[in-house]
Amino acid sequence: MVDEEKHCPIIRPTLTLVLVDSEIELVPKKYWSHPAVVVNAKKRKKRPSMVLLDSSLHHSLFKDNDQKNRRGRPDIVHQYLLLSLDSILNAEGRLEIYVHTRNDQLIVIDRSTRLPKNYNRYSGLFEELFHTGTVPTGRDPLIRLIEDMDLPSSLRYIRSKKGGDDRPTRTVLLHPDGEPMNTWELFGKLILNEGIENIICLVGGFSHGDFRSAVEENSDMKLSLPGGTLKVWTVISELLVGFRGIGS
Amino acid sequence: MVDEEKHCPIIRPTLTLVLVDSEIELVPKKYWSHPAVVVNAKKRKKRPSMVLLDSSLHHSLFKDNDQKNRRGRPDIVHQYLLLSLDSILNAEGRLEIYVHTRNDQLIVIDRSTRLPKNYNRYSGLFEELFHTGTVPTGRDPLIRLIEDMDLPSSLRYIRSKKGGDDRPTRTVLLHPDGEPMNTWELFGKLILNEGIENIICLVGGFSHGDFRSAVEENSDMKLSLPGGTLKVWTVISELLVGFRGIGS
């Protein structure tokens, strides 16, 4: 008689974070000869084509106010990655971390990545990533960038990586217009009441405006945390710690 | 008959965070002529005396490995302040935020401060703070630096600011050697079981080594979060969200 219990792996709920429409990109070609780009690239001994768009350096590029306020926020991605990678949830092996960008690239982050804490070193690393597609270069890159991945493609990729769709899954959109709820209430409902084992949370990776991707069509529910429009690091903290409070 | 109920303010538990022995300081005088300092200061058009010590720029200053690994981490203070200031707990008016430095300065942060998200802009602001003692300069500074404040003096100041010691208070040290406990368990015990209204948490503001200040003598209990030695932003997230889960 085979002891089935023994061969059955222990299933613990896992959380997948996707930062959606993140405002991270290299300086677009049409701005390569703009003085603000040339001066800053020279200071850093980089070619303009190799530099991340950064609102704190390049705000004069955009005349349109929506663009000026929104584009060039690699710092948001940095904060998101530091918080996620260094979280207790990640140390417990119960977290997956993705970045989807405004230009429909999907960045896949290995959970063992040790990201530079310093912003300028992180920028250098991600400039290499956007140029070569992988960092560190070599056989086993820890961070990979995949092109032509709109949100539906990204979610298909993420679900397939988790062994297909056979585990009960919910995709939750964090949005100021969503149903007001704390994260521990959300996870309590999904994990304890509904037996969901695999929760994917979509969080906007931008500071102004709304999602560009079709987030509503690609999620099962829409949730709003207390306080309305929050910073990305605030939302990520609430998710990481709220999940641990329930899913442990 | 006076309705005493009406005049009695609603008391809700508050959390005070103190980042202790934070590795933030201006470049010490003996290093002002060091090439690594001179070159970087020139690039930023600053005098060497006006520049924050930053391990990512100045690691060649220290021969001693303990010093090299430890000193010059204003990025830790930046992360701590962004997370705290932008937290839901702060928006609810239930958080107080302090930084104590390796040189026994106490930095008092107004809860309405809008800190630069960009690391380089933040560095510029704090260089001004360490030079002038207040930012922004003017009648109502949002951030103030007070000299000659060792940990006991800092805690006396913090308690006096909260209207004296008359509210039931506990000071909790976060330390890898402490009693293993999650933050919601800690706050549940203190707030729900013991009726504590005012909780002060001491978190180390450094990445290597141990506290320099007499933290044990100045705290009531010592707590360790799962996973042992954690990043400052991980501990701060767990405190901010765990407190809200109980104290709301």
Side-chain angles (χ1 to χ4, degrees):
Chain A
M1 196 181 124
V2 179
D3 183 354
E4 286 196 294
E5 197 65 26
K6 224 171 162 177
H7 294 274
C8 180
I10 297 163
I11 292 170
R12 287 201 302 172
T14 55
L15 177 67
T16 301
L17 294 178
V18 191
L19 200 69
V20 178
D21 296 335
S22 309
E23 288 292 345
I24 184 168
E25 60 186 314
L26 292 176
V27 170
K29 194 168 181 178
K30 63 189 267 202
Y31 300 113
W32 287 354
S33 56
H34 190 286
V37 175
V38 174
V39 169
N40 281 295
K42 204 173 167 187
K43 232 187 231 176
R44 296 182 55 218
K45 295 179 184 159
K46 295 232 170 192
R47 276 175 291 148
S49 61
M50 284 288 288
V51 167
L52 280 180
L53 186 69
D54 186 325
S55 68
S56 73
L57 303 171
H58 305 133
H59 58 281
S60 60
L61 262 58
F62 300 103
K63 294 205 180 75
D64 174 70
N65 262 338
D66 284 346
Q67 300 288 309
K68 199 193 273 286
N69 288 333
R70 182 172 177 128
R71 290 178 73 174
R73 295 298 305 270
D75 60 305
I76 293 178
V77 176
H78 187 217
Q79 298 279 4
Y80 160 69
L81 291 178
L82 285 181
L83 272 176
S84 307
L85 286 165
D86 291 329
S87 66
I88 300 177
L89 200 64
N90 189 41
E92 291 174 345
R94 298 164 60 209
L95 181 67
E96 305 210 1
I97 305 165
Y98 295 92
V99 177
H100 165 269
T101 79
R102 73 171 283 116
N103 294 323
D104 282 335
Q105 297 144 319
L106 182 68
I107 304 176
V108 183
I109 320 276
D110 188 279
R111 66 176 55 149
S112 67
T113 305
R114 295 180 63 181
L115 202 72
K117 311 308 174 210
N118 178 272
Y119 176 69
N120 299 315
R121 283 172 188 261
Y122 148 81
S123 298
L125 186 77
F126 268 58
E127 281 160 350
E128 199 186 322
L129 174 70
F130 275 81
H131 204 71
T132 65
T134 53
V135 284
T137 45
R139 277 201 310 185
D140 292 309
L142 291 169
I143 310 182
R144 289 182 304 123
L145 183 147
I146 313 174
E147 298 281 356
D148 296 320
M149 294 289 263
D150 60 9
L151 185 63
S153 309
S154 296
L155 289 173
R156 268 195 302 277
Y157 175 90
I158 289 167
R159 290 196 187 108
S160 73
K161 284 268 288 181
K162 294 185 76 74
D165 281 336
D166 50 344
R167 291 174 70 205
T169 299
R170 283 284 187 291
T171 303
V172 181
L173 169 63
L174 279 289
H175 194 290
D177 294 343
E179 186 185 350
M181 205 185 286
N182 280 303
T183 53
W184 51 90
E185 292 161 343
L186 166 76
F187 295 128
K189 183 171 132 70
L190 293 182
I191 296 170
L192 305 180
N193 300 359
E194 300 179 24
I196 305 297
E197 291 164 10
N198 185 14
I199 299 171
I200 302 174
C201 286
L202 310 182
V203 178
F206 48 88
S207 64
H208 284 83
D210 205 343
F211 286 93
R212 295 156 48 87
S213 293
V215 280
E216 313 251 353
E217 297 84 329
N218 287 286
S219 50
D220 304 307
M221 57 186 293
K222 192 160 83 167
L223 176 88
S224 162
L225 298 180
T229 305
L230 300 167
K231 294 286 186 289
V232 171
W233 39 93
T234 307
V235 177
I236 295 300
S237 294
E238 296 279 335
L239 290 170
L240 290 168
V241 182
F243 190 87
R244 232 168 56 69
I246 301 298
S248 294
Chain B
M1 197 181 123
V2 179
D3 183 354
E4 285 195 294
E5 198 66 25
K6 225 171 162 178
H7 293 274
C8 180
I10 297 163
I11 292 169
R12 288 199 301 173
T14 55
L15 177 66
T16 301
L17 294 178
V18 190
L19 200 69
V20 178
D21 295 335
S22 309
E23 287 292 344
I24 185 168
E25 61 186 313
L26 292 176
V27 170
K29 193 167 183 178
K30 63 189 266 204
Y31 300 114
W32 286 355
S33 56
H34 189 287
V37 175
V38 174
V39 170
N40 280 296
K42 205 174 165 185
K43 234 188 231 176
R44 297 182 55 217
K45 296 179 184 158
K46 296 231 170 192
R47 276 175 290 149
S49 60
M50 284 289 287
V51 168
L52 280 180
L53 186 69
D54 186 324
S55 67
S56 73
L57 304 172
H58 305 133
H59 57 282
S60 61
L61 261 60
F62 300 104
K63 293 207 179 73
D64 175 70
N65 262 338
D66 285 347
Q67 300 288 309
K68 199 194 273 287
N69 288 333
R70 181 171 177 128
R71 290 179 73 175
R73 294 299 305 272
D75 61 305
I76 293 179
V77 176
H78 189 217
Q79 298 279 5
Y80 160 69
L81 291 179
L82 284 181
L83 272 176
S84 307
L85 286 166
D86 291 330
S87 66
I88 301 177
L89 200 65
N90 190 41
E92 292 174 345
R94 298 164 60 209
L95 182 66
E96 305 211 359
I97 305 165
Y98 295 91
V99 176
H100 165 267
T101 78
R102 72 172 284 115
N103 293 324
D104 283 334
Q105 297 144 318
L106 182 68
I107 303 176
V108 183
I109 320 277
D110 188 279
R111 66 175 55 148
S112 67
T113 305
R114 296 180 62 179
L115 201 73
K117 312 308 175 208
N118 179 272
Y119 176 68
N120 299 314
R121 284 171 187 259
Y122 148 82
S123 298
L125 186 77
F126 268 60
E127 281 160 349
E128 199 187 321
L129 174 69
F130 275 82
H131 203 70
T132 65
T134 53
V135 283
T137 45
R139 276 202 309 184
D140 292 310
L142 291 169
I143 311 182
R144 288 182 304 123
L145 185 147
I146 314 175
E147 299 281 355
D148 298 320
M149 294 289 264
D150 60 9
L151 185 62
S153 308
S154 296
L155 289 173
R156 267 195 301 277
Y157 175 90
I158 289 167
R159 290 194 188 109
S160 73
K161 283 269 288 181
K162 294 184 77 73
D165 281 335
D166 50 344
R167 291 174 71 206
T169 299
R170 283 284 186 290
T171 303
V172 181
L173 169 63
L174 279 290
H175 195 290
D177 295 343
E179 185 185 351
M181 205 184 287
N182 279 303
T183 53
W184 51 90
E185 292 161 342
L186 165 77
F187 295 129
K189 184 171 130 70
L190 293 182
I191 295 170
L192 305 180
N193 299 358
E194 299 180 26
I196 305 298
E197 291 164 10
N198 185 13
I199 300 171
I200 302 172
C201 287
L202 310 182
V203 178
F206 48 87
S207 64
H208 285 82
D210 206 343
F211 286 93
R212 295 155 48 87
S213 293
V215 279
E216 313 252 353
E217 297 84 329
N218 286 286
S219 51
D220 303 307
M221 57 186 293
K222 191 160 84 166
L223 175 87
S224 163
L225 298 181
T229 306
L230 300 168
K231 294 287 185 288
V232 172
W233 39 94
T234 307
V235 177
I236 296 299
S237 293
E238 296 278 337
L239 289 171
L240 290 169
V241 182
F243 190 87
R244 232 167 57 69
I246 300 298
S248 294

